[in-house]
Amino acid sequence: MNNFSNTHLAKYGFATPARRKTTAFQLVDGKRLKSLVKDLDTADQEALVKQSFSGKSGQIAWLSGDNLWIGWNGKHGLQTLGSLPFKLPGGFYRCESELEEIDLIGWGLGSYQFDRYKKQDRSPSILVASKTKKLQRALEAIDPTYLARDLINTPSQDMSPADFEKVTKRVAKQFSAKVSVMRGDALLKSGCGAIHAVGRAAEVPPRLIELTWGNKKNPTIAIVGKGVTFDSGGLNIKPGGSMRQMKKDMGGAAIALGLAKLVMSRELPIHLKLLIPLAENAISGNAFRPGDILQTHKGITVEIDNTDAEGRLLLCDALSISLGYKPELIIDFATLTGAARVAVGTEISAMFCTNAEDTQALMASGDDQDDPVWPLPLHEGYEYMLASNVADITNSAPGGYAGATTAALFLKRFVDTTPWIHFDVMAFNARTRPARPEGGEAMGMRATYEFLERRYGNS
Ligand code: BES
Ligand code: ZN
Ligand code: ZN
């Protein structure tokens, strides 16, 4: 269990009750507004009109006697409280309406700031809440989200494969998990020719981190994350505009590590295998080339059609290694294709599932967690697009139609018949929304945890 200190609480926008002045607010359901207004005196009724308060989610109205109303859409979720930490004047607040865990998560996620390189104008307002189970659980979900966001927001210069390894080891230590790392040429010796090829041109060598946690008698679940610390495209270099955000190409790895942290802090009774392949897709004299043929860990040969389709190369070796642990389920996260973004946009996680029931369960968990995921087809009829004349498969299908599906079909070759869930995510909020500040985001993490807890949890 994670014991959150007061410094942590403040960082996440919370404080526990103490003798300090707090401003109380209540959530006012827009639908019930009319009947509530009737009970106000005329001065307060006028105050509402002056502040154009219509009860919309996140709207603020100050009434007499420091009475504070917050508009609410009647649904517990990230939206309402998630907008407040930087909208309310700085200070301490307490909520008089009953809050759910997801509301508290909203406040915490809305309090996030990335201040490693720039001092921020103000700190978030603080919600004073007693140390209940709800708050503890909310903090357990907020903390790994902050971790993933920080990792993604950190520029590649400070988030190399070696930097990511350090962070992983720190997390592992906190929960007494075991970590092993294969670096550089050791990857070749273990047969991971694909991870090695993607990362060998970079200054900092590629690596595969394995974190193991939990009782071996519990079901083994493998979690895998794409860790490309910068994606220049390689020799198939990306144009400037497309390269601009590619520090986030380790977003899958960040989300996978966040999910692992959530699993460990809540002591979910599973046997966890986290595999994180890390590489920078850089350009130099020894970079891998279009036309090269890679030997993968699974023994499948891959012809390189495009060095920018590097994520699937990292993942294929990691997935193949995970099979050795005989997991009953494999889950991976990756900023894998632009095509997934074209299909579902930047605010939904695209998902591919080998099991139709898992698809439904994940969508339901995503709904409840306000972390939307949506399935795309794992249509085997498109496998022909991965054919190569000189190798077993190619890393990029010609034409580009169904690009997210062909990428998923590529990966599927490396998981055999093991039940598998694959997320193709943005890992980045392109715009600020309540609880979702612009920048790195742990998309799909809470949806997946909820799914796992429903299946494997004790309660
Ligand atoms: N990291 C990119 C995919 C990406 C781009 C994710 C933008 C999110 C936002 C990935 O490595 C890539 O470049 N994929 C190519 C694959 C293509 C060459 C088959 C793509 O999607 O264009
Ligand atoms: Zn790429
Ligand atoms: Zn990439």
Side-chain angles (χ1 to χ4, degrees), residues 279-442:
E280 179 182 345
N281 191 15
I283 300 173
S284 78
N286 66 343
F288 75 128
R289 315 160 188 85
D292 281 355
I293 297 175
L294 309 183
Q295 292 288 339
T296 65
H297 180 266
K298 193 142 190 22
I300 295 173
T301 56
V302 178
E303 183 184 14
I304 302 305
D305 172 71
N306 191 319
T307 60
D308 198 9
E310 83 299 335
R312 61 198 79 182
L313 300 171
L314 285 198
L315 290 173
C316 79
D317 279 346
L319 291 170
S320 164
I321 289 204
S322 82
L323 289 183
Y325 304 114
K326 304 207 174 346
E328 75 164 51
L329 175 65
I330 304 175
I331 305 170
D332 79 72
F333 297 89
T335 50
L336 203 62
T337 66
R341 305 286 64 81
V342 173
V344 298
T346 61
E347 296 173 6
I348 295 175
S349 304
M351 163 185 75
F352 297 84
C353 254
T354 52
N355 179 325
E357 283 160 25
D358 290 354
T359 308
Q360 292 310 315
L362 275 158
M363 285 184 79
S365 301
D367 252 4
D368 292 344
Q369 284 296 318
D370 219 337
D371 183 11
V373 302
W374 210 271
L376 289 182
L378 204 49
H379 178 60
E380 279 168 16
Y382 289 157
E383 245 178 36
Y384 75 92
M385 293 192 212
L386 294 172
S388 158
N389 289 328
V390 290
D392 296 326
I393 46 175
T394 174
N395 80 324
S396 157
Y401 284 123
T405 290
T406 52
L409 287 172
F410 177 98
L411 297 178
K412 190 163 179 281
R413 293 286 295 262
F414 296 85
V415 297
D416 289 339
T417 52
T418 309
W420 170 58
I421 300 164
H422 159 57
F423 286 99
D424 193 332
V425 293
M426 178 71 175
F428 203 88
N429 296 319
R431 60 179 181 131
T432 295
R433 286 175 289 153
R436 295 170 164 103
E438 187 180 330
E441 187 57 276

Side-chain angles (χ1 to χ4, degrees), residues 16 51 102 131 201 255 271 288 291 323 347 382 385 422 430 459:
T16 44
Q51 295 173 82
I102 190 77
K131 265 218 154 171
I255 296 167
H271 179 235
F288 75 128
L323 289 183
E347 296 173 6
Y382 289 157
M385 293 192 212
H422 159 57
S459 45

